[in-house]
Amino acid sequence: MRPVSHLDSYRTAGHVEAPAPPLPVLPQPWDARLADPDGFHLDLIHRWMQSPHVAAFWRQAWPRDRWELELRDHLAGNDIRPVLVALEGRPVIYLEVYRAARDRVAKCYHARPHDIGLHIAVGELAMTDRGLVRTLLPVLTRALFDADPQCTRVILEPDVRNTRAIKSFQAGGFQLADEILLPDKVAALMVCPR
């Protein structure tokens, strides 16, 4: 396991627990809100996860009732925040904002307690390749750093085969740090430091 930066050598022993990941407060024309496990939000996320361009990499083309349970579990816990991001009032992106130190990715790199991870899906195929992600990421990372002053880096771990996402993430300010092996994929560990 390689450290992401030399700062990892200064980690202290012992267990430090960070609070739940924050909900980012985004400036207009963006808006972020917790995903509601009922009605419209649930239907939208379920439909997006069935879309071939999302299902190929998320591998969560689950039935609607499983998505309802997943969203309720996330909202009840302290590890993951399910978030819908809208542009000018139209939902366009589903995010999962998570604490990397409490996620499976922590087995592959030295996660600090306040590190924040992101899973990102552009829901509609017609909205891909329009620069949404590369435009959102600098605003989103700034909002996350503002919301958690102890967070020193935000990470992403896309499948290495998802070259479209990797290019968008790099254009949005993330650097490729390493390749890591997760249970369901070989991932590109990408980092945006504070």
Side-chain angles (χ1 to χ4, degrees):
M1 181 182 328
R2 289 191 288 177
V4 171
S5 81
H6 70 284
L7 295 176
D8 290 323
S9 63
Y10 297 101
R11 294 177 62 194
T12 58
H15 182 71
V16 177
E17 186 81 14
L23 174 67
V25 177
L26 302 177
Q28 290 295 325
W30 301 101
D31 179 54
R33 62 187 56 202
L34 290 175
D36 186 345
D38 298 306
F40 174 73
H41 288 182
L42 174 60
D43 293 339
L44 186 65
I45 293 166
H46 174 252
R47 182 170 53 83
W48 285 354
M49 290 298 156
Q50 311 305 307
S51 300
H53 75 284
V54 176
F57 296 106
W58 276 64
R59 298 176 192 87
Q60 294 178 349
W62 301 328
R64 186 180 184 279
D65 59 339
R66 179 162 177 195
W67 264 106
E68 179 182 358
L69 291 174
E70 187 81 2
L71 293 175
R72 288 189 191 288
D73 287 348
H74 289 339
L75 291 168
N78 282 324
D79 298 337
I80 300 172
R81 292 286 170 250
V83 178
L84 273 177
V85 175
L87 177 63
E88 296 177 346
R90 176 184 178 187
V92 291
I93 292 175
Y94 174 67
L95 292 178
E96 290 179 347
V97 182
Y98 66 92
R99 285 293 182 195
R102 298 194 298 258
D103 188 77
R104 65 187 186 163
V105 72
K107 293 180 180 178
C108 302
Y109 94 103
H110 296 290
R112 300 174 190 147
H114 287 265
D115 284 1
I116 293 174
L118 297 172
H119 296 139
I120 300 176
V122 176
E124 305 290 343
L125 182 59
M127 296 302 289
T128 61
D129 296 327
R130 293 187 175 199
L132 286 177
V133 172
R134 83 184 77 171
T135 303
L136 172 65
L137 279 177
V139 174
L140 177 61
T141 53
R142 191 168 35 255
L144 290 169
F145 288 140
D146 288 347
D148 184 351
Q150 292 182 313
C151 177
T152 58
R153 60 188 175 204
V154 177
I155 67 157
L156 294 159
E157 26 88 7
D159 190 304
V160 294
R161 297 170 298 147
N162 194 347
T163 56
R164 174 190 286 172
I166 291 169
K167 287 178 185 175
S168 291
F169 299 158
Q170 287 174 320
F174 281 73
Q175 305 159 359
L176 183 60
D178 203 355
E179 284 189 6
I180 57 175
L181 182 61
L182 295 175
D184 60 345
K185 65 184 176 183
V186 176
L189 179 64
M190 304 186 75
V191 178
C192 180
R194 179 180 284 277

